[in-house]
Amino acid sequence: MNIQAFFKLSYGLYVISARSGEKNYGCVVNTLQQVTAEPPMLSVAVNKNSVTAKAILDSGHFCGTVLTETADLNLIGTFGFKNSEAVDKFESFSTKEDENQIPYLTEHVAARYSCDVAGTLDLGTHILIIGKVTETEILSDEPVMTYDYYHRVIKGGTPPTAPSYKGNLKPKTEEKPEKTARWRCKICGYIYDGDPLPADYLCPICGQGADKFEKI
Ligand code: FE
């Protein structure tokens, strides 16, 4: 099978959040989409090992937001590459709570959908969650972040837990004369331009140290 064919699919970038017990959970996904209009329903595929997935299934609710192009690496790194059990991902961002007391970002997002879990499908590595939308909100008119924009402009990577993971993209060498060495984070794919890589450097996306970077 030619897996290059999968690279032709287009996606957006989203933060989904949940609340279980007294704890907030959230992660970045590229798999949120509307599946029906009457009633309005969304689907989202989430890695089964994700603590956010567990919180969604435990609570029966989730909230999806559409990231805009103004979302930076700090935001995407916080929600995409860190663990909700280890850090409160929401504490340094502007948030509100929806009708289910689930926090959601109010900046760098275009819209919000609050959902009741209406069904699930076990897909092996991932679980497909169907959400019946109970509340929506438009939060900005900024252009929405596409997965392509994230890779090309933000130059972010894809975690191995993503359904679309295909090994992190090679740097776009045509955009820059290769006079200077660059370093790539082996965890998330972030590219550091320059050489040497400072010994105390921390990846702005996933927070890993310089030892996780390889020279390219
Ligand atoms: Fe990284």
Side-chain angles (χ1 to χ4, degrees):
M1 185 184 297
N2 184 355
I3 66 162
Q4 298 279 335
F6 292 112
F7 303 174
K8 302 295 185 187
L9 291 167
S10 60
Y11 303 94
L13 222 54
Y14 313 94
V15 168
I16 55 166
S17 53
R19 183 167 177 83
S20 182
E22 295 299 304
K23 215 161 165 39
N24 299 322
Y25 297 84
C27 65
V28 173
V29 297
N30 67 327
T31 54
L32 185 72
Q33 57 184 326
Q34 184 173 3
V35 288
T36 61
E38 289 292 336
M41 295 207 285
L42 305 178
S43 71
V44 60
V46 192
N47 189 283
K48 278 160 73 174
N49 295 323
S50 154
V51 291
T52 302
K54 185 172 185 313
I56 292 171
L57 299 176
D58 287 348
S59 67
H61 306 286
F62 68 93
C63 183
T65 48
V66 182
L67 290 177
T68 62
E69 291 179 355
T70 60
D72 63 10
L73 282 177
N74 175 49
L75 188 156
I76 295 169
T78 297
F79 283 92
F81 290 91
K82 293 181 180 168
N83 188 314
S84 291
E85 293 287 11
V87 295
D88 182 349
K89 296 183 177 183
F90 295 89
E91 69 178 352
S92 58
F93 298 100
S94 173
T95 63
K96 282 186 182 171
E97 286 186 358
D98 74 359
E99 60 185 2
N100 300 312
Q101 286 73 56
I102 298 174
Y104 62 93
L105 299 172
T106 55
E107 294 176 353
H108 312 296
V109 291
R112 183 258 302 187
Y113 318 94
S114 291
C115 301
D116 294 340
V117 174
T120 61
L121 180 62
D122 189 330
L123 301 174
T125 58
H126 289 68
I127 185 159
L128 186 69
I129 299 170
I130 307 297
K132 184 173 178 186
V133 181
T134 56
E135 196 174 41
T136 63
E137 181 182 7
I138 291 178
L139 291 152
S140 89
D141 292 321
E142 294 282 345
V144 299
M145 174 89 75
T146 64
Y147 210 39
D148 181 59
Y149 183 92
Y150 170 65
H151 285 306
R152 278 191 306 104
V153 181
I154 307 263
K155 300 197 185 302
T158 302
T161 51
S164 57
Y165 180 66
K166 54 209 181 199
N168 274 312
L169 302 181
K170 295 279 187 273
K172 296 193 182 320
T173 52
E174 70 278 10
E175 292 177 6
K176 190 177 176 71
E178 286 304 287
K179 297 247 168 55
T180 309
R182 309 167 84 192
W183 294 77
R184 177 170 50 194
C185 175
K186 290 187 280 189
I187 306 300
C188 73
Y190 177 76
I191 304 292
Y192 175 87
D193 277 312
D195 193 51
L197 179 72
D200 60 352
Y201 188 74
L202 292 178
C203 177
I205 297 190
C206 69
Q208 295 291 322
D211 61 316
K212 294 292 192 299
F213 278 74
E214 60 185 356
K215 204 169 189 174
I216 55 175

